[in-house]
């Protein structure tokens, strides 16, 4: 079976940390016997190359110094801060369209699997129709957010969904949004962990403080401001909040933390960490938190793959009951769900875990079962290949 995977981002070199879940997915498909190639845009003149033994076909869409619409930050965010980048959207689609035609004419894949269907469905459609190749669309949530800001995107997505032979969504939350556009069958296809087996189930030594760990970009929908607010309800003698990462809101969040009283739990910003430093944070933490919210743009967590990784590292989870998070965290079974934007509820969850080691043990047992049932790569890829076979033989 030959599959052409299309995406807006793919690692540019072996050490590149871009979209690790997509890279891992492609590697597992290859391991399962799928003959696979990737189509992705160039970045500053980058030519086609190989990653993990997989050919990555790069399409050029602008002079090298302008090829920065993708990678390192989402295209919508880049276009919001640099509106002139929108001028690259048309050459991006046209160049990708013709590159896809050329690959399919020569290689003849059995399936085209397009991630982020707006605009990649339109890069794939010509080749899919001309060479009668089944098109599979994979939604991750960001493309659906565009509908709120750009109403004309909705009919384009509705048409594209109608042309697909199968539709994947990374969460039940994303699936509901797809069905609101067009009532089609949607396959749930989440991500698995990108951690190596040697890193899983790390030990968590008993320390003088109960360490609360957040890892992620410092952006509005992560809800970090409510985590900092929860420090007011936690005794400084028992707890410590550690915030890993950077982002647009970092300085504002640091200023908020600096206003806390001496009686509040300390909030420590680590900045961006190396893989070894990040591993140490996980190993020495007592709980992982994702206080996500539905932000002012209507955006929220599509799945929260970081929760799966924290579970595999043996950390109990506290997270907001928004977006795709409930697909991972079943309240009271594989973690604790709290209402969004509720610092007191966050603090109460941390206190209950600190006071009840047996409760943590039960949650970790439930988390391992949840991962085994839904989030192992073997299971995800097996279901994905079953869909490929189904559309090929329709």
């Amino acid at each position: 079976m030959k599959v052409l995977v299309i995406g807006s981002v793919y690692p540019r070199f072996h050490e590149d940390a871009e979209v690790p879940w997509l890279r891992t997915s492609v590697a597992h498909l290859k391991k399962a016997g799928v003959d696979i190639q990737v189509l992705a845009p160039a970045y500053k003149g980058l030519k086609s190359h190989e990653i993990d033994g997989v050919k990555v076909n790069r399409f050029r869409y602008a002079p090298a110094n302008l090829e920065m619409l993708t990678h390192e930050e989402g295209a919508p965010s880049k276009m919001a801060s640099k509106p002139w980048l929108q001028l690259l959207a048309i050459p991006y689609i046209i160049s990708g369209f013709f590159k896809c035609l050329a690959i399919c004419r020569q290689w003849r894949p059995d399936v085209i699997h397009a991630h982020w269907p707006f605009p990649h469905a339109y890069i794939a459609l010509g080749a899919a129709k001309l060479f009668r190749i089944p098109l599979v669309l994979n939604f991750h949530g960001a493309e659906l957010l565009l509908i709120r800001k750009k109403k004309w995107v909705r009919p384009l997505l509705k048409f594209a969904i109608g042309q697909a032979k199968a539709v994947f969504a990374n969460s039940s939350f994303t699936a509901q949004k797809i069905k609101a556009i067009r009532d089609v069958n949607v396959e749930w296809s989440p991500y698995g962990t990108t951690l190596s087996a040697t890193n899983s189930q790390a030990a968590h030594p008993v320390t003088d403080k109960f360490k609360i760990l957040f890892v992620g970009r410092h952006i509005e929908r992560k809800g970090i401001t409510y985590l900092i607010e929860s420090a007011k309800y936690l005794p400084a003698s028992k707890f410590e909040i550690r915030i890993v990462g950077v982002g647009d809101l970092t300085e504002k969040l640091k200023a908020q933390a600096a206003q806390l009283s001496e009686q509040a739990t300390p909030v420590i910003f680590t900045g961006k960490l190396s893989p070894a430093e990040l591993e140490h944070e996980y190993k020495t933490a007592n709980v992982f938190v994702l206080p996500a919210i539905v932000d002012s743009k209507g955006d929220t967590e599509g799945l929260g793959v970081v929760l799966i990784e924290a579970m595999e590292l043996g950390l109990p989870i506290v997270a907001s009951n928004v977006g795709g998070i409930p697909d991972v965290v079943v309240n009271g079974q594989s973690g604790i769900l709290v209402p969004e934007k509720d610092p007191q509820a966050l603090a109460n969850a941390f206190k209950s875990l600190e006071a009840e080691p047996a409760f943590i043990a039960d949650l970790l047992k439930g988390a391992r079962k949840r991962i085994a049932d839904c989030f192992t790569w073997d299971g995800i890829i097996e279901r994905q290949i079953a869909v490929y076979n189904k559309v090929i033989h329709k």
Side-chain angles (χ1 to χ4, degrees), residues 150-166:
K150 303 180 187 296
K151 302 297 184 185
W152 53 269
V153 172
R154 184 184 180 92
L156 291 176
L157 276 178
K158 184 175 182 179
F159 176 77
I161 293 167
Q163 302 304 303
K165 299 300 182 185

Side-chain angles (χ1 to χ4, degrees), residues 16-68:
D16 196 356
E18 293 273 14
V19 289
W21 57 267
L22 182 55
R23 179 178 183 172
T24 305
S25 172
V26 167
H28 279 274
L29 283 167
K30 185 173 185 286
K31 181 182 175 183
V34 175
D35 188 1
I36 195 161
Q37 290 191 25
V38 173
L39 173 61
Y43 179 79
K44 296 186 176 180
L46 179 64
K47 296 179 180 178
S48 298
H49 56 104
E50 280 196 5
I51 291 281
D52 307 327
V54 173
K55 184 174 182 181
V56 183
N57 303 276
R58 298 284 179 176
F59 63 87
R60 301 291 311 278
Y61 59 94
N65 64 321
L66 295 179
E67 282 183 330
M68 54 181 183

Side-chain angles (χ1 to χ4, degrees), residues 179-191:
K179 287 175 175 287
I181 298 172
R182 189 162 197 148
D183 190 15
V184 295
N185 181 55
V186 180
E187 305 280 348
W188 181 40
S189 186
Y191 322 134

Side-chain angles (χ1 to χ4, degrees), residues 301-342:
E301 292 294 302
L303 178 66
V305 69
V306 70
L307 297 175
I308 302 167
E309 297 186 342
M311 284 178 174
E312 290 217 331
L313 288 167
L315 283 171
I317 304 296
V318 174
S320 303
N321 189 9
V322 296
I325 289 174
D327 285 343
V328 181
V329 181
V330 180
N331 189 39
Q333 295 180 31
S334 60
I336 299 176
L337 289 177
V338 298
E340 65 166 332
K341 304 178 183 179
D342 191 337

Side-chain angles (χ1 to χ4, degrees), residues 204-218:
H204 303 284
V206 176
T207 58
D208 57 337
K209 288 194 176 182
F210 192 84
K211 293 184 179 180
I212 300 160
L213 178 64
F214 168 88
V215 177
R217 287 186 295 155
H218 299 179

Side-chain angles (χ1 to χ4, degrees), residues 73-74 77 214-222 224 244-247:
E73 187 184 359
S77 298
F214 168 88
V215 177
R217 287 186 295 155
H218 299 179
I219 55 177
E220 185 189 359
R221 68 177 167 86
K222 298 295 183 180
I224 305 169
V244 175
V246 294

Side-chain angles (χ1 to χ4, degrees), residues 89-90 93 116-123 125 135 137 139 143-144 146-147 150-164 167 178 181-182:
I90 297 301
I93 295 170
W116 301 285
F118 187 81
H120 299 105
Y122 286 89
I123 285 176
L125 267 174
L135 174 61
L137 299 181
F139 285 83
E143 57 280 274
L144 298 166
L146 280 172
I147 294 173
K150 303 180 187 296
K151 302 297 184 185
W152 53 269
V153 172
R154 184 184 180 92
L156 291 176
L157 276 178
K158 184 175 182 179
F159 176 77
I161 293 167
Q163 302 304 303
V167 178
I178 296 167
I181 298 172
R182 189 162 197 148

Side-chain angles (χ1 to χ4, degrees), residues 69 73-86 146 149-150 248 297:
L69 188 57
E73 187 184 359
S77 298
K78 285 189 176 184
M79 288 190 286
S81 60
K82 299 182 179 71
W84 60 268
L85 283 173
Q86 296 179 46
L146 280 172
K149 296 182 288 185
K150 303 180 187 296
D248 296 341
K297 296 176 291 185

